[in-house]
Amino acid sequence: MTDKIDTKTFKRSLQHSGNYHRKGFGHEAEVASVLNTEYQSNLIQQIRDNNYQLTKGDVTIRLAEAFGFCWGVERAVAMAYETRQHFPQEQIWITNEIIHNPSVNQRLREMEVKFIAVENGKKDFSIVDSGDVVILPAFGASVSEMQILNDKGCTIVDTTCPWVSKVWNSVEKHKKRNYTSIIHGKYKHEETVATSSFADKYLVVLNMEQAQYVCDYILNGGEKEEFLAKFKNAYSEGFDPNKDLETIGIANQTTMLKSETEAIGKLFERIMMQKYSPVKLNEHFMSFNTICDATQERQDAMFELVEEDLSLMVVIGGFNSSNTTHLQEIAIDYKIPSYHIDSASRIGPGNRIEHKPLNKDIEVTENWLPEGSIVVGVTSGASTPDKVVAEAIEKIFELKAAKVIA
Ligand code: SF4
């Protein structure tokens, strides 16, 4: 069980081993030019230079002022490309999608980077041999996965974003003081799985409603069985809400809605103050600022964009991308018709779009582009290359120009 491992000592020894790499291999310049060709777009640069908007015919595109690839993702993708270049003959594996973007993951497959298969919800590491190279993705990997790979004698290339590592460090601090980590996130998300593997005791809360429930329990007690059923799979083994909520620390999945993470942190702080008095707060509560700048900037830009008079929004990013979903939530809160797609191929043929409404399965909407002049807001998640955004914009221009609109 990962919670029995001395994670700090293990990470330290891993970092000092010759088989572990968390920087590139000196091929930055070559890789940068390849990445530029594969993922950047002249159209997007043109729109950026034109104050984030472009009009063609009936369509005005309004781009969010911060969108797309964040530096953590750029860094991870570049490291994966460098790894291929540095180890041309070796078998290279990746423990999960490098980032939540289908086109980038497909590109890696074409470069013969293999994904470790998942059988019945478990990764099958038996296929990985000693001497193979294994890439850990931007959102990290659990301690037990790192341990398996290290024990096998693999070369590990760790692309975990430093912002994610910062959260892990917070969790280590909670553990040192025997505090329970309250993690704002999705318990199944790879990043949260990795983060919780560093904790001794943890509870994952998805949203404000769940946080409020936990806070009511802290203040007033409640039915333990009901609590454990409500948070099934979202707490550490042996977690007891009657004992393990007396000292808590706050952590987060870096891609959650920033305002919600902050509000949840403040709620827990207030409740612990109420329960134990302001003088004793530090004996029961810890919190560090671990909200990633990139997530924050993309969400802030989205809040600015939705204030404009938009006919509709197109939000582009992997369907399993948490930060993209949160951008979509903002559009919904502002009651703007909004379409979440993962690639331009979801648009057309004709005036139709295949998209994923929030918390629902993919569906098709016909006649999604209205007649006449329209203003289309566009943004994309932190794992989406500019090229994918450009392709979607071009499709919208084409559709309106071709007058396929009913
Ligand atoms: S969104 Fe933030 S935490 Fe995630 S990879 Fe990008 S910079 Fe890192």
Side-chain angles (χ1 to χ4, degrees):
M1 302 300 298
T2 56
D3 53 355
K4 300 282 184 276
I5 300 171
D6 179 349
T7 52
K8 212 168 178 179
T9 308
F10 168 68
K11 276 274 341 235
R12 203 174 291 136
S13 85
L14 182 65
Q15 283 164 6
H16 286 105
S17 91
N19 284 342
Y20 176 85
H21 305 268
R22 57 175 175 168
K23 294 201 172 108
F25 297 98
H27 310 292
E28 292 88 349
E30 299 139 76
V31 162
S33 95
V34 175
L35 292 179
N36 208 21
T37 315
E38 292 189 6
Y39 299 121
Q40 297 304 316
S41 145
N42 290 338
L43 174 65
I44 296 299
Q45 195 50 49
Q46 186 192 345
I47 302 176
R48 276 201 177 100
D49 294 344
N50 194 39
N51 205 19
Y52 293 86
Q53 65 179 23
L54 182 66
T55 302
K56 273 194 191 178
D58 278 350
V59 186
T60 296
I61 296 292
R62 282 287 292 111
L63 256 184
E65 294 195 9
F67 67 96
F69 266 15
C70 61
W71 71 269
V73 158
E74 253 174 16
R75 176 181 169 278
V77 176
M79 278 178 75
Y81 273 61
E82 276 200 59
T83 305
R84 180 73 283 174
Q85 204 156 354
H86 195 71
F87 298 100
Q89 304 301 333
E90 284 78 353
Q91 175 63 63
I92 302 182
W93 299 94
I94 185 155
T95 58
N96 217 316
E97 296 186 335
I98 180 98
I99 55 170
H100 288 139
N101 181 271
S103 59
V104 178
N105 290 311
Q106 181 53 28
R107 220 13 228 119
L108 290 179
R109 280 190 191 95
E110 288 161 13
M111 289 160 56
E112 293 288 316
V113 173
K114 295 201 168 144
F115 289 68
I116 292 173
V118 179
E119 299 275 340
N120 300 323
K122 286 203 142 197
K123 284 184 201 156
D124 179 11
F125 286 102
S126 65
I127 201 157
V128 180
D129 279 335
S130 151
D132 286 355
V133 178
V134 185
I135 301 173
L136 312 182
F139 36 74
S142 70
V143 182
S144 61
E145 288 184 6
M146 291 189 228
Q147 208 175 29
I148 291 170
L149 298 170
N150 190 42
D151 290 349
K152 273 179 177 272
C154 300
T155 297
I156 298 174
V157 180
D158 185 356
T159 78
T160 305
C161 176
W163 277 100
V164 175
S165 308
K166 197 172 163 191
V167 178
W168 295 353
N169 292 339
S170 299
V171 166
E172 288 285 4
K173 286 180 192 154
H174 303 161
K175 189 164 60 181
K176 195 169 170 196
R177 288 181 64 181
N178 203 24
Y179 283 29
T180 296
S181 297
I182 305 283
I183 306 170
H184 175 219
K186 299 174 180 170
Y187 73 84
K188 276 193 196 157
H189 190 283
E190 302 89 329
E191 183 188 317
T192 295
V193 171
T195 298
S196 57
S197 77
F198 284 87
D200 186 2
K201 289 173 289 178
Y202 69 85
L203 174 70
V204 181
V205 295
L206 176 65
N207 52 27
M208 190 44 111
E209 182 270 316
Q210 291 196 350
Q212 191 65 59
Y213 178 93
V214 178
C215 285
D216 287 346
Y217 198 95
I218 290 174
L219 274 187
N220 309 314
E223 284 293 320
K224 181 173 160 182
E225 300 314 315
E226 182 195 280
F227 186 109
L228 294 177
K230 185 174 173 75
F231 290 96
K232 191 166 180 258
N233 299 323
Y235 51 77
S236 47
E237 201 181 327
F239 175 81
D240 180 348
N242 295 339
K243 287 192 298 199
D244 295 332
L245 293 171
E246 287 172 6
T247 50
I248 59 170
I250 303 296
N252 60 295
Q253 186 181 308
T254 54
T255 47
M256 297 303 276
L257 201 57
K258 170 206 153 199
S259 51
E260 194 173 53
T261 295
E262 282 177 344
I264 286 174
K266 289 212 164 67
L267 174 67
F268 276 104
E269 184 177 26
R270 207 170 55 243
I271 292 303
M272 296 309 267
M273 220 182 308
Q274 203 174 325
K275 177 141 181 159
Y276 297 103
S277 89
V279 198
K280 296 211 163 146
L281 180 67
N282 290 344
E283 292 168 32
H284 294 271
F285 179 79
M286 293 171 99
S287 178
F288 306 94
N289 180 8
T290 48
I291 295 171
C292 143
D293 279 347
T295 300
Q296 182 170 335
E297 279 165 17
R298 277 147 193 72
Q299 290 174 3
D300 289 348
M302 184 66 179
F303 279 115
E304 276 178 30
L305 186 57
V306 290
E307 289 294 341
E308 298 193 16
D309 196 8
L310 303 175
S311 316
L312 57 103
M313 270 297 311
V314 176
V315 178
I316 308 161
F319 290 142
N320 51 354
S321 156
S322 184
N323 75 88
T324 310
T325 309
H326 291 308
L327 297 174
Q328 165 85 332
E329 277 172 16
I330 295 172
I332 291 168
D333 282 351
Y334 279 73
K335 306 206 177 343
I336 298 169
S338 170
Y339 301 92
H340 178 182
I341 58 174
D342 60 350
S343 78
S345 64
R346 303 278 180 187
I347 301 175
N351 190 10
R352 76 202 292 270
I353 188 166
E354 194 177 34
H355 62 107
K356 188 174 180 311
L358 194 65
N359 302 326
K360 291 192 188 153
D361 291 334
I362 297 170
E363 63 181 46
V364 172
T365 299
E366 301 284 350
N367 301 319
W368 69 290
L369 287 175
E371 280 182 74
S373 295
I374 56 170
V375 181
V376 181
V378 176
T379 191
S380 62
S383 345
T384 308
D386 282 2
K387 211 163 205 162
V388 175
V389 179
E391 286 162 3
I393 292 173
E394 270 158 4
K395 272 258 177 94
I396 295 169
F397 282 143
E398 270 167 35
L399 279 178
K400 286 288 275 183
K403 304 219 180 297
V404 293
I405 312 303

